[in-house]
Amino acid sequence: IEFTKYTILPSGIFSKIKKRDNILLELHGERDLGILKMWASRRFNSAMNAFLQCVKEICDKLQEKGFKPAYKINKSKDKRVTEIQDLSMQFHSETNWTKALKYMLTNIKWILSWMAQNHELKL
Protein backbone atom coordinates (compact mmCIF):
# COMPACT_ATOMS: atom_id res chain seq x y z
CA ILE A 1 0.00 0.00 0.00
CA GLU A 2 1.26 3.48 -0.80
CA PHE A 3 0.59 6.04 1.90
CA THR A 4 -0.37 9.64 1.14
CA LYS A 5 2.14 11.42 3.40
CA TYR A 6 4.75 8.85 4.43
CA THR A 7 6.95 5.97 3.34
CA ILE A 8 7.85 3.34 5.92
CA LEU A 9 11.50 2.31 5.76
CA PRO A 10 11.80 -1.00 7.64
CA SER A 11 15.25 -1.67 9.05
CA GLY A 12 14.87 -3.87 12.12
CA ILE A 13 15.16 -1.93 15.36
CA PHE A 14 16.31 1.18 13.46
CA SER A 15 13.24 1.60 11.22
CA LYS A 16 12.32 5.05 9.97
CA ILE A 17 9.46 6.89 8.34
CA LYS A 18 10.15 9.29 5.51
CA LYS A 19 7.80 12.21 5.01
CA ARG A 20 6.99 13.25 1.44
CA ASP A 21 9.30 16.26 1.91
CA ASN A 22 12.20 13.78 2.53
CA ILE A 23 12.43 14.40 6.29
CA LEU A 24 13.37 11.19 8.11
CA LEU A 25 11.70 10.33 11.42
CA GLU A 26 13.28 7.59 13.53
CA LEU A 27 11.03 4.92 15.02
CA HIS A 28 13.56 4.25 17.75
CA GLY A 29 14.92 6.16 20.71
CA GLU A 30 18.44 6.96 21.73
CA ARG A 31 20.01 6.42 25.14
CA ASP A 32 21.84 9.00 27.23
CA LEU A 33 21.31 11.99 24.99
CA GLY A 34 21.51 14.52 27.80
CA ILE A 35 20.53 17.94 26.53
CA LEU A 36 19.44 16.55 23.15
CA LYS A 37 16.84 14.29 24.79
CA MET A 38 13.96 16.75 24.31
CA TRP A 39 14.73 17.14 20.59
CA ALA A 40 15.09 13.37 20.07
CA SER A 41 11.87 12.57 21.92
CA ARG A 42 10.01 15.12 19.78
CA ARG A 43 11.26 13.37 16.64
CA PHE A 44 10.29 9.98 18.08
CA ASN A 45 6.81 11.31 18.91
CA SER A 46 6.47 12.60 15.35
CA ALA A 47 7.54 9.21 13.98
CA MET A 48 5.08 7.33 16.19
CA ASN A 49 2.22 9.60 15.14
CA ALA A 50 3.23 9.21 11.48
CA PHE A 51 3.14 5.43 11.93
CA LEU A 52 -0.30 5.75 13.55
CA GLN A 53 -1.49 7.72 10.51
CA CYS A 54 -0.22 4.92 8.25
CA VAL A 55 -2.23 2.41 10.28
CA LYS A 56 -5.25 4.73 9.99
CA GLU A 57 -4.87 4.87 6.20
CA ILE A 58 -4.82 1.07 6.04
CA CYS A 59 -7.92 0.88 8.28
CA ASP A 60 -9.73 3.47 6.15
CA LYS A 61 -8.90 1.65 2.92
CA LEU A 62 -10.00 -1.72 4.34
CA GLN A 63 -13.22 -0.27 5.77
CA GLU A 64 -14.29 0.37 2.18
CA LYS A 65 -14.11 -3.41 1.74
CA GLY A 66 -15.97 -4.33 4.95
CA PHE A 67 -13.25 -4.29 7.64
CA LYS A 68 -14.16 -2.90 11.07
CA PRO A 69 -11.19 -2.00 13.30
CA ALA A 70 -11.27 -2.73 17.01
CA TYR A 71 -10.54 0.93 17.87
CA LYS A 72 -11.13 4.18 16.01
CA ILE A 73 -8.15 6.35 15.17
CA ASN A 74 -9.07 10.03 15.34
CA LYS A 75 -7.31 13.35 15.52
CA SER A 76 -9.95 14.64 17.96
CA LYS A 77 -9.06 15.19 21.59
CA ASP A 78 -12.35 14.10 23.17
CA LYS A 79 -10.52 11.30 25.05
CA ARG A 80 -13.03 8.53 24.40
CA VAL A 81 -11.67 5.23 25.66
CA THR A 82 -12.29 3.43 22.36
CA GLU A 83 -10.27 5.86 20.29
CA ILE A 84 -6.60 6.54 19.68
CA GLN A 85 -5.81 10.25 19.38
CA ASP A 86 -2.01 10.27 19.21
CA LEU A 87 1.05 8.46 20.48
CA SER A 88 3.10 11.35 21.86
CA MET A 89 4.95 10.32 25.00
CA GLN A 90 5.64 13.82 26.26
CA PHE A 91 1.99 14.89 26.59
CA HIS A 92 0.51 11.71 28.08
CA SER A 93 0.94 9.62 31.17
CA GLU A 94 2.67 6.27 30.75
CA THR A 95 -0.69 4.57 31.33
CA ASN A 96 -2.44 6.49 28.54
CA TRP A 97 0.51 6.05 26.17
CA THR A 98 0.60 2.31 26.87
CA LYS A 99 -3.16 2.07 26.30
CA ALA A 100 -2.86 3.91 22.98
CA LEU A 101 -0.09 1.51 21.87
CA LYS A 102 -2.21 -1.46 22.92
CA TYR A 103 -5.11 -0.14 20.83
CA MET A 104 -2.90 0.45 17.81
CA LEU A 105 -1.32 -3.02 18.06
CA THR A 106 -4.78 -4.58 18.43
CA ASN A 107 -5.87 -2.82 15.24
CA ILE A 108 -2.76 -4.13 13.45
CA LYS A 109 -3.53 -7.64 14.68
CA TRP A 110 -7.11 -7.32 13.40
CA ILE A 111 -5.82 -6.02 10.03
CA LEU A 112 -3.52 -9.04 9.67
CA SER A 113 -6.31 -11.45 10.60
CA TRP A 114 -8.79 -9.81 8.23
CA MET A 115 -6.26 -9.77 5.39
CA ALA A 116 -5.49 -13.47 5.92
CA GLN A 117 -9.18 -14.30 5.64
CA ASN A 118 -9.70 -11.98 2.64
CA HIS A 119 -6.40 -12.48 0.83
CA GLU A 120 -8.06 -12.49 -2.60
CA LEU A 121 -9.03 -8.80 -2.27
CA LYS A 122 -6.75 -6.20 -3.82
CA LEU A 123 -5.86 -3.01 -1.97
Side-chain angles (χ1 to χ4, degrees):
I1 187 167
E2 189 168 321
F3 301 107
T4 57
K5 295 181 181 179
Y6 306 103
T7 302
I8 297 175
L9 305 170
S11 184
I13 62 171
F14 295 106
S15 296
K16 296 176 176 65
I17 291 186
K18 185 169 81 170
K19 294 171 74 174
R20 291 289 173 225
D21 55 6
N22 288 325
I23 293 174
L24 284 178
L25 303 169
E26 293 89 10
L27 279 167
H28 58 87
E30 299 290 335
R31 289 186 168 175
D32 301 326
L33 289 176
I35 198 160
L36 299 176
K37 186 175 184 177
M38 178 79 94
W39 180 77
S41 68
R42 188 173 56 212
R43 290 181 58 87
F44 176 73
N45 287 336
S46 295
M48 289 298 290
N49 283 307
F51 185 73
L52 179 64
Q53 287 308 305
C54 292
V55 173
K56 181 180 180 352
E57 282 189 42
I58 293 170
C59 286
D60 291 347
K61 191 159 204 109
L62 292 180
Q63 282 179 338
E64 296 169 4
K65 301 183 184 299
F67 173 73
K68 184 169 174 22
Y71 301 101
K72 292 180 183 178
I73 301 171
N74 285 332
K75 285 248 182 199
S76 68
K77 300 289 183 186
D78 60 3
K79 304 296 183 204
R80 277 189 249 157
V81 175
T82 60
E83 295 184 352
I84 310 165
Q85 282 82 32
D86 70 66
L87 294 175
S88 298
M89 288 180 67
Q90 69 192 81
F91 299 117
H92 298 290
S93 69
E94 284 186 28
T95 303
N96 288 344
W97 188 75
T98 302
K99 190 182 292 186
L101 282 179
K102 174 188 167 191
Y103 291 169
M104 183 186 66
L105 291 172
T106 300
N107 276 0
I108 292 170
K109 184 172 120 177
W110 281 39
I111 289 167
L112 290 172
S113 177
W114 192 87
M115 289 297 296
Q117 293 172 7
N118 299 284
H119 58 86
E120 70 282 348
L121 294 176
K122 298 284 185 208
L123 294 181

